[in-house]
Amino acid sequence: MGACNSCEAAAVAAAPGCTAAEARVVLADGALRRFPRGTRASQALKAAAATAATGAWFLCCADGLELGGAVAAVGAEEELLPGQLYFVLPAAMRRRPLHAEEMAALAVRASAALVGDHDGPLVFPEVAVGGGGAGKGCRRSRRGGSRGRDFVPDLGAIAE
C-alpha cells in the first residue's frame, strides 16, 4: 500500500512449484479469502459479496492505494495476481481521494487478516536464527562495559 509494493512477493509467489500461488482478498468484514490462479475480479467479488452487508462493493489492489490518491477498481475481467493483496471496499470510496484515517484503517484490517497466514512468501527474509551472534549487517561493538544490546551498523565505504 502506498510506498511499499508487493511486486517482489507476487513474483516469488508466481514461481512454478510455489504453494502460495493464490491472490489474497481482505473482505469487507476483515476476513481473508484466498483465490487460486486464474480467478477473475468479478468472480472474487461475487464470492466476497456473499459475506458482505448489502450495498455496492468493488475490488481494489493494495499496491494501487496512495494517500490522497483516487481509489481505482480492478477491472471485472482482470485476473487476480498470485501473491497480491486486494481489498473489497464500498462503492462510495471509488474514485475519491483516500484519507489518512482510511489508509490507516485498511492497514490495520490487512494486518489483522494476514495474522497466521504464513504459507506465503516472506517479503522481508528472516535473518538466520540461532548461533548466538548478531544478525548479518550488524556486529557487536568492541566497546567494553556495556551489558545491553550494543550494535553498530556494518557500513562500508562508497567508492566515488
Side-chain angles (χ1 to χ4, degrees):
M1 290 178 9
C4 296
N5 289 333
S6 58
C7 301
E8 293 171 5
V12 171
C18 184
T19 61
E22 298 171 317
R24 292 171 176 88
V25 177
V26 179
L27 305 177
D29 65 356
L32 181 70
R33 178 115 187 244
R34 293 171 165 220
F35 291 93
R37 180 186 306 267
T39 303
R40 291 190 180 92
S42 59
Q43 295 168 322
L45 194 55
K46 183 184 279 187
T51 64
T54 59
W57 302 91
F58 72 99
L59 195 67
C60 74
C61 179
D63 283 350
L65 298 176
E66 293 183 18
L67 189 59
V71 180
V74 174
E77 294 305 312
E78 191 174 328
E79 285 189 9
L80 302 183
L81 299 174
Q84 190 66 267
L85 183 66
Y86 297 88
F87 287 100
V88 174
L89 298 176
M93 291 183 72
R94 190 172 182 182
R95 292 193 180 121
R96 72 167 175 78
L98 189 62
H99 302 291
E101 297 83 16
E102 294 168 326
M103 179 71 91
L106 289 173
V108 168
R109 191 186 328 170
S111 292
L114 291 170
V115 169
D117 187 47
H118 297 297
D119 41 326
L122 292 173
V123 176
F124 304 105
E126 292 183 48
V127 177
V129 179
K136 187 176 180 181
C138 293
R139 65 172 189 251
R140 269 286 182 202
S141 172
R142 296 188 187 262
R143 288 184 279 174
S146 177
R147 300 186 118 201
R149 289 185 173 176
D150 191 14
F151 293 99
V152 294
D154 191 14
L155 301 174
I158 300 174
E160 292 185 20

